[in-house]
Amino acid sequence: MSGDTERPVTMRTSERGAATRVALLDAAKETFITSGFAEAGVTDVVARAGASVGSLYHHFSGKADLYLTLFEEFQKRQTQRTRQAVQEARAAGETDPMPQFLAAARAYLEGCLEERDLAALFLRGDAPPGFEVIMRDRLRQWARRTAALFEHEDALVVVVTGALAAVVQEVTLSEDPQHARRIAEDALRIIGEIRHP
């Protein structure tokens, strides 16, 4: 009988903990976007979340951990978007790697536009120490995934991933969303015109 009464309490506690974690991440996102990472304080985040400093340290090791968690969750969503785009292109019968790459690139850019403020946060340079290493590593992982599409075309992979990285930065940091969309479409058209063996 005591086991029956303990489980709902544990469930409610777990749900409350998950809700607190989400509230802290949402508050961190808003705080970092409005104040910047360096200027944001843990007290700003917990005040915005309606939480305690203790609850923040229960879920995260500190301000940098909040930032890195936001980044990882954004990257997971972006990976999901790009994988789905490639799967849809393949399901539609597309076998050429360039249209598959362009479908993934378009999905990634769309994600940057949908989550502009968050995407821009990661590109502005106001980040925890060592974040640039994480970004470089993420770019290398992306290039390796792209290389899987373009077998034995290393130079092409360097060109298309380098071009797309520049487009991501331009589109994400653009002040005008309509202009950003035009840049994205024009850049994807140009990348798609690159001839490969």
Side-chain angles (χ1 to χ4, degrees), residues 110-153:
E110 193 58 42
C112 289
L113 289 167
E114 285 176 26
E115 300 186 56
R116 283 174 57 92
D117 292 339
L118 187 60
L121 173 68
F122 304 129
L123 293 175
R124 287 198 182 107
D126 181 16
F131 183 68
E132 66 280 352
V133 174
I134 293 168
M135 285 291 280
R136 277 196 307 271
D137 184 53
R138 191 53 63 120
L139 186 57
R140 279 194 297 274
Q141 290 174 22
W142 175 40
R144 279 196 298 273
R145 284 194 306 270
T146 303
L149 286 174
F150 299 101
E151 290 184 47
H152 312 295
E153 297 184 57

Side-chain angles (χ1 to χ4, degrees), residues 149-165:
L149 286 174
F150 299 101
E151 290 184 47
H152 312 295
E153 297 184 57
D154 296 340
L156 179 63
V157 169
V158 169
V159 170
V160 297
T161 58
L164 190 56

Side-chain angles (χ1 to χ4, degrees), residues 82-100:
T82 58
R83 282 188 180 147
Q84 182 177 347
V86 170
Q87 288 170 353
E88 288 172 3
R90 288 176 177 163
E94 189 56 69
T95 58
D96 187 333
M98 184 58 83
Q100 291 177 20

